[in-house]
Each structure stands twice: as C-alpha cells, then as structure tokens.
Amino acid sequence: QVQLVESGGGLVQAGGSLTLSCLASEQTVMVYSMGWFRQAPGKERELVARISWSNHAYYADSVKGRFTISRNNTKNNVYLQMNSLKPEDTAVYYCAASPEMILPNTPKFWGQGTQVTVSS
C-alpha cells in the first residue's frame, strides 16, 4: 500500500510563503500523476495543483502565479511552493497520487493532510 506523508504546513502571515513536501513510500509512485488538494472548513475539497510524471503542471485559477508544484523523482518527493499567501488559502492540504496520466478528482492514494493557516 502506497503511503504519502506531507510536511511543511503551519501558521504564516498574509503575504508570506510556505513550502509543502510530500514523501511517497514507493519509487513506483514517481511514474504516477501527483498533486495537491485542499479543504477549508465548510467547503468541498478542491484541486490546487497537479503534475504529471513528465512534469506537466496544472494550477487552479485561484493559485495561478502564486503557487508552484514540482517533483523530484529520485527522492520520491513532490512539493508545493506557496507564495503571496492569502487568508483564503487557509485549509488542510492533501497530497495525492494516482496511476492515471492526469490526476483525477478521486485519486487512488491520499496523504493524511497538513494544516496551513494564513493570518490577516
């Protein structure tokens, strides 16, 4: 069973930056599509960014130009660099992976989530 472990969440002031990391337990995940979802209180989980095994990236409009997703296949890691953070970015962020070429809305594997809180 593939495990995904997130780290890097925390509390930051508006305008600040955070980098989330996700470590996969198996090398085979590095040929999967991967990405980050988030869920704010009272809201549905939404896709933030996804990246294919060949490094094609997609971003939600709400984070485009502020967030950058990347992956290091030799280290089994995927990252989310978040800049110019806003209070509305406050949410639990989840790493996800799935064997499809494009990460679906219901990925096969999920991390446990990491809290990001942006204060105004």
Side-chain angles (χ1 to χ4, degrees), residues 41-95:
K43 295 188 177 181
E44 293 187 354
R45 189 174 297 185
E46 63 176 356
L47 175 68
V48 176
R50 65 175 183 241
I51 187 167
S52 70
W53 67 270
S54 57
N55 287 318
H56 287 94
Y58 165 87
Y59 298 93
D61 287 343
S62 59
V63 306
K64 201 172 293 183
R66 300 188 297 121
F67 291 11
T68 302
I69 189 170
S70 61
R71 64 193 297 167
N72 185 329
N73 290 339
T74 61
K75 295 186 177 181
N76 295 2
N77 273 325
V78 64
Y79 307 97
L80 187 67
Q81 174 68 42
M82 305 184 294
N83 298 326
S84 302
L85 282 161
K86 304 175 181 180
E88 51 263 45
D89 294 319
T90 295
V92 178
Y93 284 70
Y94 297 90
C95 177

Side-chain angles (χ1 to χ4, degrees), residues 10-18 84-87 117-120:
L11 174 65
V12 64
Q13 289 188 335
S17 298
L18 281 175
S84 302
L85 282 161
K86 304 175 181 180
T117 303
V118 184
S119 63
S120 57

